[in-house]
Amino acid sequence: MATIVGGTGQHDVQRHAVAAVALALLLAATAAPAAPRIRTLHVPAPGVADAPLRVRVAVPPRCLDARARCDTLYVNDGQDAEATALFETVAALDARGEIRAPVVVAIDAPPDRMGAYGFSDRANGRPVIAPTRYGDVGARAQAYSAWLVDVLVPRIQARWPVRRTPASRTLLGWSLGGAHAFDVAWQYPDVLGGAGAFSPSFWLSTERDDADAIARTRIAHSKLTHAAPPSLRLFLAVGTDEERDDRDGDGVNDALDDVRELVDGHAGAPGLRALGYRIDADGRVQPGHGDVALYVLPGGIHRQSSWGRVLPAFLRWAYPRGR
């Protein structure tokens, strides 16, 4: 996978394309969506960033009622909220009655994004570092993950009337942030009930000597050799045009291979399906159905414009009415 900083750029053309999708949703709504109240916090994150991280919390009006007890969606790369039309899409789908909107907690990426958005070993309290051509990824991942679950989650719960069960909390991310979202959900089932991972960097590995070494030591896939967390829900999305790299020469680009092999296994290693997870895939992703949704976006690329296009499908699956 050649792209490593996909969640950081801002491109006017992409913003306009995603904004058009959000506008179409708004115009199609049967009633004007009630705008969420957005509060901005600055939360200290020692060991992750020198300055406090900006966290924007979008609260649907009904979630201000202490009796509502809404779900919470935490989002990595919160600085991309405008480029992906995150807040607008949630509000529009809620107004149309297609979802029951969660409280959205958009967390700006730490200055050392490559360090924070990676994998870690919770049991031993250490990061799992992936060497890449761009430098090491994940050196601060343990610190960032611990901050998110031990500091940010309790702070949100203390201030807003949200539900306090793991099933009510999901972490969403894209690119490196998507790999991190999967890792946190897998390691902290006592805190999170699921993850959304768009274009996740599942190519990250501990060895890079050759293609076989990369495939054999991919960190996300190695997690599946351990006991599977109960009741975990995952939404995995990837575009058909993410990249051209094809390390195993099978005619399928690595981004697609990495996600599909996490689901179906590879070279004798188990995938999510073998661990007993119910899989929704091949265009049959239904709202609220299955433990794992595999969503392939035709023409999807490694940019905010594509992640904004995936958002409605993810939100309908994760937050259907009646859930």
Side-chain angles (χ1 to χ4, degrees), residues 43-49 53-55 74-79 105-120 126-127 138-153 171-173 176-177 180-181 183-184 188:
V43 185
V48 178
L53 297 181
R54 184 183 69 156
V55 178
Y74 293 85
V75 185
N76 283 332
D77 277 318
Q79 77 282 349
V105 181
I107 313 155
D108 280 12
D112 181 10
R113 184 174 180 272
M114 283 176 55
Y117 289 169
F119 296 92
S120 63
R126 63 178 183 85
R140 299 174 187 258
Q142 174 61 30
Y144 179 69
S145 298
W147 170 83
L148 194 154
V149 302
D150 294 334
V151 175
L152 185 60
V153 169
L171 178 59
L172 170 65
L176 289 177
H180 174 261
D183 187 58
V184 178
Y188 292 85

Short mmCIF file of all heavy atoms in Angstrom, two decimals, residues 43-49 53-55 74-79 105-120 126-127 138-153 171-173 176-177 180-181 183-184 188:
data_model
loop_
_atom_site.label_atom_id
_atom_site.label_comp_id
_atom_site.label_asym_id
_atom_site.label_seq_id
_atom_site.Cartn_x
_atom_site.Cartn_y
_atom_site.Cartn_z
N VAL A 43 -8.71 18.64 25.01
CA VAL A 43 -8.44 17.63 26.03
C VAL A 43 -6.95 17.31 26.08
O VAL A 43 -6.38 16.85 25.08
CB VAL A 43 -9.24 16.35 25.75
CG1 VAL A 43 -9.05 15.34 26.88
CG2 VAL A 43 -10.73 16.66 25.57
N PRO A 44 -6.29 17.53 27.20
CA PRO A 44 -4.87 17.17 27.31
C PRO A 44 -4.65 15.68 27.06
O PRO A 44 -5.46 14.85 27.48
CB PRO A 44 -4.53 17.54 28.76
CG PRO A 44 -5.54 18.57 29.14
CD PRO A 44 -6.80 18.17 28.43
N ALA A 45 -3.57 15.38 26.35
CA ALA A 45 -3.25 13.99 26.04
C ALA A 45 -1.76 13.76 26.25
O ALA A 45 -0.99 13.61 25.29
CB ALA A 45 -3.65 13.65 24.60
N PRO A 46 -1.30 13.73 27.50
CA PRO A 46 0.13 13.53 27.78
C PRO A 46 0.64 12.23 27.16
O PRO A 46 -0.03 11.21 27.18
CB PRO A 46 0.17 13.46 29.31
CG PRO A 46 -1.08 14.14 29.77
CD PRO A 46 -2.11 13.85 28.73
N GLY A 47 1.83 12.31 26.60
CA GLY A 47 2.41 11.14 25.96
C GLY A 47 1.97 10.96 24.52
O GLY A 47 2.52 10.13 23.79
N VAL A 48 0.96 11.74 24.12
CA VAL A 48 0.45 11.67 22.75
C VAL A 48 0.73 12.98 22.01
O VAL A 48 1.16 12.97 20.86
CB VAL A 48 -1.07 11.37 22.73
CG1 VAL A 48 -1.60 11.36 21.30
CG2 VAL A 48 -1.36 10.06 23.43
N ALA A 49 0.47 14.09 22.67
CA ALA A 49 0.65 15.41 22.06
C ALA A 49 1.04 16.42 23.13
O ALA A 49 0.58 16.32 24.28
CB ALA A 49 -0.62 15.84 21.35
N LEU A 53 -5.66 18.04 22.55
CA LEU A 53 -6.27 17.70 21.27
C LEU A 53 -7.66 18.33 21.16
O LEU A 53 -8.43 18.32 22.12
CB LEU A 53 -6.40 16.18 21.13
CG LEU A 53 -5.10 15.38 21.11
CD1 LEU A 53 -5.40 13.88 20.94
CD2 LEU A 53 -4.17 15.86 20.00
N ARG A 54 -7.97 18.85 19.98
CA ARG A 54 -9.31 19.38 19.75
C ARG A 54 -10.28 18.24 19.52
O ARG A 54 -10.04 17.35 18.70
CB ARG A 54 -9.34 20.32 18.54
CG ARG A 54 -10.71 20.98 18.33
CD ARG A 54 -10.75 21.85 17.10
NE ARG A 54 -10.69 21.09 15.86
CZ ARG A 54 -11.16 21.53 14.67
NH1 ARG A 54 -11.71 22.72 14.59
NH2 ARG A 54 -11.02 20.78 13.59
N VAL A 55 -11.38 18.27 20.26
CA VAL A 55 -12.42 17.25 20.15
C VAL A 55 -13.75 17.98 19.96
O VAL A 55 -14.14 18.79 20.81
CB VAL A 55 -12.49 16.37 21.41
CG1 VAL A 55 -13.62 15.35 21.30
CG2 VAL A 55 -11.15 15.67 21.65
N TYR A 74 -17.29 7.61 18.18
CA TYR A 74 -16.00 8.29 18.25
C TYR A 74 -15.35 8.19 16.86
O TYR A 74 -15.43 7.15 16.19
CB TYR A 74 -15.11 7.64 19.31
CG TYR A 74 -15.64 7.84 20.71
CD1 TYR A 74 -16.59 6.96 21.25
CD2 TYR A 74 -15.22 8.91 21.50
CE1 TYR A 74 -17.11 7.14 22.53
CE2 TYR A 74 -15.73 9.10 22.78
CZ TYR A 74 -16.67 8.22 23.29
OH TYR A 74 -17.18 8.42 24.54
N VAL A 75 -14.68 9.27 16.44
CA VAL A 75 -14.15 9.32 15.07
C VAL A 75 -12.71 9.81 15.10
O VAL A 75 -12.43 10.93 15.58
CB VAL A 75 -15.00 10.25 14.18
CG1 VAL A 75 -14.50 10.18 12.73
CG2 VAL A 75 -16.48 9.87 14.24
N ASN A 76 -11.79 9.00 14.58
CA ASN A 76 -10.42 9.45 14.36
C ASN A 76 -10.38 10.43 13.19
O ASN A 76 -11.30 10.48 12.36
CB ASN A 76 -9.52 8.25 14.03
CG ASN A 76 -9.15 7.44 15.25
OD1 ASN A 76 -9.08 7.95 16.37
ND2 ASN A 76 -8.89 6.14 15.05
N ASP A 77 -9.31 11.21 13.09
CA ASP A 77 -9.16 12.19 12.02
C ASP A 77 -10.35 13.15 11.97
O ASP A 77 -10.91 13.43 10.91
CB ASP A 77 -8.96 11.51 10.65
CG ASP A 77 -7.52 11.09 10.41
OD1 ASP A 77 -6.61 11.89 10.74
OD2 ASP A 77 -7.29 9.99 9.90
N GLY A 78 -10.72 13.66 13.15
CA GLY A 78 -11.86 14.56 13.22
C GLY A 78 -11.70 15.83 12.41
O GLY A 78 -12.69 16.48 12.07
N GLN A 79 -10.46 16.19 12.07
CA GLN A 79 -10.25 17.37 11.22
C GLN A 79 -10.81 17.16 9.82
O GLN A 79 -10.97 18.12 9.06
CB GLN A 79 -8.76 17.73 11.15
CG GLN A 79 -7.91 16.85 10.25
CD GLN A 79 -7.56 15.49 10.87
OE1 GLN A 79 -7.77 15.29 12.07
NE2 GLN A 79 -7.02 14.58 10.07
N VAL A 105 -18.34 12.14 18.29
CA VAL A 105 -17.17 12.72 18.96
C VAL A 105 -16.01 12.68 17.97
O VAL A 105 -15.39 11.63 17.77
CB VAL A 105 -16.83 11.96 20.25
CG1 VAL A 105 -15.63 12.59 20.95
CG2 VAL A 105 -18.04 11.90 21.17
N ALA A 106 -15.73 13.81 17.32
CA ALA A 106 -14.71 13.88 16.27
C ALA A 106 -13.40 14.39 16.88
O ALA A 106 -13.32 15.52 17.35
CB ALA A 106 -15.17 14.81 15.15
N ILE A 107 -12.39 13.54 16.85
CA ILE A 107 -11.11 13.80 17.51
C ILE A 107 -10.07 14.16 16.46
O ILE A 107 -9.73 13.34 15.60
CB ILE A 107 -10.64 12.56 18.28
CG1 ILE A 107 -11.77 11.96 19.11
CG2 ILE A 107 -9.42 12.88 19.14
CD1 ILE A 107 -11.59 10.47 19.39
N ASP A 108 -9.54 15.38 16.52
CA ASP A 108 -8.49 15.74 15.57
C ASP A 108 -7.28 14.82 15.73
O ASP A 108 -6.94 14.40 16.85
CB ASP A 108 -8.03 17.18 15.80
CG ASP A 108 -8.97 18.19 15.18
OD1 ASP A 108 -10.08 17.81 14.78
OD2 ASP A 108 -8.60 19.38 15.13
N ALA A 109 -6.63 14.49 14.62
CA ALA A 109 -5.44 13.65 14.68
C ALA A 109 -4.35 14.33 15.50
O ALA A 109 -4.15 15.55 15.39
CB ALA A 109 -4.92 13.37 13.28
N PRO A 110 -3.63 13.58 16.32
CA PRO A 110 -2.47 14.16 17.01
C PRO A 110 -1.43 14.63 16.00
O PRO A 110 -1.40 14.16 14.86
CB PRO A 110 -1.94 12.98 17.84
CG PRO A 110 -3.10 12.05 17.96
CD PRO A 110 -3.87 12.19 16.68
N PRO A 111 -0.57 15.56 16.39
CA PRO A 111 0.47 16.03 15.46
C PRO A 111 1.31 14.88 14.89
O PRO A 111 1.67 14.89 13.71
CB PRO A 111 1.32 16.97 16.34
CG PRO A 111 0.37 17.46 17.37
CD PRO A 111 -0.54 16.31 17.67
N ASP A 112 1.62 13.90 15.72
CA ASP A 112 2.34 12.71 15.25
C ASP A 112 1.31 11.65 14.87
O ASP A 112 1.09 10.68 15.59
CB ASP A 112 3.29 12.18 16.33
CG ASP A 112 4.08 10.96 15.88
OD1 ASP A 112 4.04 10.64 14.66
OD2 ASP A 112 4.72 10.30 16.73
N ARG A 113 0.68 11.86 13.73
CA ARG A 113 -0.39 10.96 13.30
C ARG A 113 0.12 9.54 13.07
O ARG A 113 -0.52 8.56 13.44
CB ARG A 113 -1.04 11.51 12.03
CG ARG A 113 -2.24 10.72 11.50
CD ARG A 113 -2.88 11.45 10.33
NE ARG A 113 -4.03 10.71 9.82
CZ ARG A 113 -3.95 9.76 8.90
NH1 ARG A 113 -2.76 9.43 8.39
NH2 ARG A 113 -5.04 9.13 8.49
N MET A 114 1.28 9.42 12.43
CA MET A 114 1.84 8.10 12.17
C MET A 114 2.17 7.38 13.47
O MET A 114 2.10 6.15 13.54
CB MET A 114 3.11 8.21 11.31
CG MET A 114 2.83 8.45 9.84
SD MET A 114 4.36 8.69 8.89
CE MET A 114 5.27 7.21 9.29
N GLY A 115 2.54 8.12 14.49
CA GLY A 115 2.86 7.50 15.76
C GLY A 115 1.63 7.04 16.51
O GLY A 115 1.60 5.95 17.10
N ALA A 116 0.56 7.84 16.47
CA ALA A 116 -0.64 7.54 17.26
C ALA A 116 -1.53 6.50 16.62
O ALA A 116 -2.11 5.65 17.31
CB ALA A 116 -1.43 8.83 17.49
N TYR A 117 -1.67 6.56 15.30
CA TYR A 117 -2.60 5.67 14.60
C TYR A 117 -1.89 4.39 14.16
O TYR A 117 -1.44 4.26 13.02
CB TYR A 117 -3.19 6.36 13.38
CG TYR A 117 -4.18 7.46 13.69
CD1 TYR A 117 -4.61 8.31 12.69
CD2 TYR A 117 -4.67 7.68 14.98
CE1 TYR A 117 -5.52 9.33 12.95
CE2 TYR A 117 -5.56 8.69 15.25
CZ TYR A 117 -6.00 9.52 14.23
OH TYR A 117 -6.89 10.52 14.48
N GLY A 118 -1.80 3.46 15.06
CA GLY A 118 -1.18 2.19 14.74
C GLY A 118 -1.73 1.12 15.65
O GLY A 118 -2.83 1.24 16.18
N PHE A 119 -0.95 0.08 15.86
CA PHE A 119 -1.36 -1.07 16.65
C PHE A 119 -0.62 -1.09 17.99
O PHE A 119 0.45 -0.51 18.13
CB PHE A 119 -1.08 -2.36 15.89
CG PHE A 119 -1.87 -2.50 14.62
CD1 PHE A 119 -1.35 -2.06 13.41
CD2 PHE A 119 -3.13 -3.07 14.64
CE1 PHE A 119 -2.08 -2.18 12.24
CE2 PHE A 119 -3.87 -3.20 13.47
CZ PHE A 119 -3.34 -2.75 12.27
N SER A 120 -1.22 -1.77 18.94
CA SER A 120 -0.59 -1.86 20.25
C SER A 120 -0.88 -3.22 20.87
O SER A 120 -1.68 -4.01 20.34
CB SER A 120 -1.07 -0.74 21.16
OG SER A 120 -2.46 -0.84 21.41
N ARG A 126 2.32 -1.95 25.50
CA ARG A 126 3.37 -1.44 24.61
C ARG A 126 2.83 -1.30 23.19
O ARG A 126 1.85 -1.96 22.81
CB ARG A 126 4.57 -2.39 24.60
CG ARG A 126 4.25 -3.77 24.05
CD ARG A 126 5.46 -4.68 24.02
NE ARG A 126 5.16 -5.98 23.43
CZ ARG A 126 5.17 -6.23 22.13
NH1 ARG A 126 5.48 -5.26 21.28
NH2 ARG A 126 4.88 -7.44 21.68
N PRO A 127 3.45 -0.45 22.39
CA PRO A 127 3.05 -0.36 20.99
C PRO A 127 3.59 -1.52 20.18
O PRO A 127 4.58 -2.16 20.58
CB PRO A 127 3.68 0.96 20.54
CG PRO A 127 4.89 1.10 21.40
CD PRO A 127 4.52 0.51 22.74
N GLY A 138 3.06 3.74 14.62
CA GLY A 138 2.49 3.16 15.84
C GLY A 138 3.29 3.34 17.10
O GLY A 138 2.93 2.76 18.13
N ALA A 139 4.35 4.15 17.09
CA ALA A 139 5.19 4.28 18.28
C ALA A 139 4.42 4.83 19.48
O ALA A 139 4.75 4.54 20.63
CB ALA A 139 6.39 5.17 17.98
N ARG A 140 3.37 5.62 19.23
CA ARG A 140 2.56 6.18 20.31
C ARG A 140 1.17 5.53 20.39
O ARG A 140 0.29 6.05 21.08
CB ARG A 140 2.40 7.69 20.13
CG ARG A 140 3.69 8.49 20.14
CD ARG A 140 3.42 9.95 19.81
NE ARG A 140 4.65 10.71 19.65
CZ ARG A 140 5.15 11.52 20.56
NH1 ARG A 140 4.53 11.67 21.72
NH2 ARG A 140 6.25 12.20 20.34
N ALA A 141 0.98 4.44 19.69
CA ALA A 141 -0.36 3.86 19.60
C ALA A 141 -0.91 3.40 20.94
O ALA A 141 -2.10 3.56 21.23
CB ALA A 141 -0.36 2.70 18.60
N GLN A 142 -0.06 2.82 21.78
CA GLN A 142 -0.53 2.38 23.09
C GLN A 142 -0.97 3.58 23.93
O GLN A 142 -2.03 3.55 24.57
CB GLN A 142 0.56 1.59 23.81
CG GLN A 142 0.21 1.21 25.25
CD GLN A 142 -1.01 0.31 25.37
OE1 GLN A 142 -1.29 -0.47 24.46
NE2 GLN A 142 -1.74 0.43 26.47
N ALA A 143 -0.19 4.64 23.90
CA ALA A 143 -0.54 5.84 24.67
C ALA A 143 -1.82 6.47 24.16
O ALA A 143 -2.69 6.88 24.95
CB ALA A 143 0.61 6.85 24.61
N TYR A 144 -1.99 6.52 22.84
CA TYR A 144 -3.19 7.14 22.28
C TYR A 144 -4.43 6.30 22.57
O TYR A 144 -5.47 6.83 22.97
CB TYR A 144 -3.04 7.34 20.77
CG TYR A 144 -4.27 7.96 20.14
CD1 TYR A 144 -4.63 9.28 20.42
CD2 TYR A 144 -5.09 7.22 19.29
CE1 TYR A 144 -5.76 9.85 19.85
CE2 TYR A 144 -6.23 7.78 18.73
CZ TYR A 144 -6.55 9.09 19.01
OH TYR A 144 -7.69 9.65 18.46
N SER A 145 -4.33 5.00 22.41
CA SER A 145 -5.48 4.13 22.68
C SER A 145 -5.89 4.20 24.14
O SER A 145 -7.08 4.27 24.47
CB SER A 145 -5.14 2.68 22.29
OG SER A 145 -4.87 2.57 20.92
N ALA A 146 -4.90 4.19 25.04
CA ALA A 146 -5.21 4.27 26.47
C ALA A 146 -5.85 5.61 26.81
O ALA A 146 -6.78 5.69 27.62
CB ALA A 146 -3.94 4.06 27.29
N TRP A 147 -5.36 6.69 26.19
CA TRP A 147 -5.97 8.01 26.41
C TRP A 147 -7.43 8.01 25.96
O TRP A 147 -8.32 8.53 26.65
CB TRP A 147 -5.18 9.07 25.66
CG TRP A 147 -5.86 10.41 25.63
CD1 TRP A 147 -5.83 11.36 26.61
CD2 TRP A 147 -6.69 10.93 24.58
NE1 TRP A 147 -6.59 12.45 26.23
CE2 TRP A 147 -7.13 12.21 24.99
CE3 TRP A 147 -7.09 10.44 23.34
CZ2 TRP A 147 -7.96 13.01 24.19
CZ3 TRP A 147 -7.92 11.23 22.54
CH2 TRP A 147 -8.34 12.49 22.97
N LEU A 148 -7.68 7.43 24.80
CA LEU A 148 -9.03 7.44 24.26
C LEU A 148 -10.01 6.72 25.19
O LEU A 148 -11.09 7.23 25.51
CB LEU A 148 -9.03 6.80 22.86
CG LEU A 148 -10.27 7.00 21.99
CD1 LEU A 148 -9.89 6.88 20.52
CD2 LEU A 148 -11.38 6.02 22.31
N VAL A 149 -9.63 5.52 25.64
CA VAL A 149 -10.58 4.72 26.44
C VAL A 149 -10.59 5.11 27.92
O VAL A 149 -11.63 4.99 28.58
CB VAL A 149 -10.29 3.21 26.28
CG1 VAL A 149 -10.38 2.79 24.83
CG2 VAL A 149 -8.94 2.83 26.85
N ASP A 150 -9.46 5.58 28.44
CA ASP A 150 -9.37 5.87 29.87
C ASP A 150 -9.66 7.33 30.22
O ASP A 150 -10.04 7.63 31.36
CB ASP A 150 -7.98 5.51 30.42
CG ASP A 150 -7.72 4.02 30.37
OD1 ASP A 150 -8.68 3.24 30.41
OD2 ASP A 150 -6.53 3.64 30.31
N VAL A 151 -9.46 8.23 29.26
CA VAL A 151 -9.64 9.66 29.53
C VAL A 151 -10.84 10.22 28.77
O VAL A 151 -11.74 10.82 29.36
CB VAL A 151 -8.36 10.46 29.17
CG1 VAL A 151 -8.59 11.97 29.35
CG2 VAL A 151 -7.19 9.99 30.02
N LEU A 152 -10.84 10.05 27.44
CA LEU A 152 -11.88 10.70 26.64
C LEU A 152 -13.26 10.09 26.86
O LEU A 152 -14.24 10.82 27.04
CB LEU A 152 -11.51 10.66 25.16
CG LEU A 152 -12.48 11.42 24.24
CD1 LEU A 152 -12.54 12.90 24.63
CD2 LEU A 152 -12.07 11.27 22.78
N VAL A 153 -13.36 8.77 26.80
CA VAL A 153 -14.68 8.14 26.98
C VAL A 153 -15.31 8.54 28.32
O VAL A 153 -16.47 8.96 28.35
CB VAL A 153 -14.58 6.61 26.83
CG1 VAL A 153 -15.88 5.94 27.29
CG2 VAL A 153 -14.29 6.24 25.37
N LEU A 171 -15.97 3.11 17.31
CA LEU A 171 -14.88 3.96 16.87
C LEU A 171 -14.74 3.84 15.36
O LEU A 171 -14.66 2.73 14.82
CB LEU A 171 -13.56 3.55 17.55
CG LEU A 171 -12.30 4.33 17.15
CD1 LEU A 171 -12.44 5.83 17.44
CD2 LEU A 171 -11.07 3.76 17.87
N LEU A 172 -14.74 4.98 14.67
CA LEU A 172 -14.64 5.04 13.21
C LEU A 172 -13.33 5.69 12.81
O LEU A 172 -12.88 6.65 13.44
CB LEU A 172 -15.82 5.85 12.65
CG LEU A 172 -15.78 6.21 11.16
CD1 LEU A 172 -15.84 4.97 10.29
CD2 LEU A 172 -16.92 7.17 10.83
N GLY A 173 -12.74 5.19 11.73
CA GLY A 173 -11.53 5.81 11.20
C GLY A 173 -11.31 5.42 9.76
O GLY A 173 -11.95 4.49 9.24
N LEU A 176 -4.87 5.10 8.14
CA LEU A 176 -4.23 4.68 9.39
C LEU A 176 -5.22 4.70 10.54
O LEU A 176 -5.19 3.85 11.43
CB LEU A 176 -3.05 5.61 9.71
CG LEU A 176 -1.80 5.50 8.85
CD1 LEU A 176 -0.79 6.56 9.29
CD2 LEU A 176 -1.18 4.12 8.93
N GLY A 177 -6.10 5.70 10.55
CA GLY A 177 -7.11 5.78 11.60
C GLY A 177 -8.08 4.63 11.57
O GLY A 177 -8.66 4.27 12.61
N HIS A 180 -6.30 1.70 13.23
CA HIS A 180 -6.31 1.94 14.68
C HIS A 180 -7.69 1.65 15.27
O HIS A 180 -7.80 1.07 16.35
CB HIS A 180 -5.90 3.39 14.97
CG HIS A 180 -6.03 3.75 16.41
ND1 HIS A 180 -7.12 4.44 16.91
CD2 HIS A 180 -5.22 3.49 17.48
CE1 HIS A 180 -6.97 4.60 18.20
NE2 HIS A 180 -5.84 4.04 18.57
N ALA A 181 -8.76 2.06 14.57
CA ALA A 181 -10.11 1.81 15.08
C ALA A 181 -10.36 0.32 15.25
O ALA A 181 -10.92 -0.12 16.27
CB ALA A 181 -11.14 2.42 14.13
N ASP A 183 -8.10 -1.97 15.76
CA ASP A 183 -7.24 -2.46 16.83
C ASP A 183 -7.84 -2.16 18.20
O ASP A 183 -7.82 -3.02 19.10
CB ASP A 183 -5.85 -1.84 16.71
CG ASP A 183 -4.86 -2.45 17.68
OD1 ASP A 183 -4.65 -3.67 17.64
OD2 ASP A 183 -4.28 -1.70 18.49
N VAL A 184 -8.34 -0.95 18.39
CA VAL A 184 -8.90 -0.58 19.69
C VAL A 184 -10.15 -1.40 19.99
O VAL A 184 -10.33 -1.90 21.10
CB VAL A 184 -9.19 0.93 19.76
CG1 VAL A 184 -9.81 1.29 21.11
CG2 VAL A 184 -7.92 1.73 19.55
N TYR A 188 -10.22 -3.74 23.23
CA TYR A 188 -10.97 -3.17 24.35
C TYR A 188 -12.46 -3.48 24.22
O TYR A 188 -13.29 -2.56 24.20
CB TYR A 188 -10.75 -1.66 24.40
CG TYR A 188 -9.36 -1.22 24.77
CD1 TYR A 188 -8.37 -1.11 23.80
CD2 TYR A 188 -9.03 -0.90 26.08
CE1 TYR A 188 -7.09 -0.70 24.12
CE2 TYR A 188 -7.74 -0.48 26.42
CZ TYR A 188 -6.78 -0.39 25.43
OH TYR A 188 -5.51 0.02 25.76
#
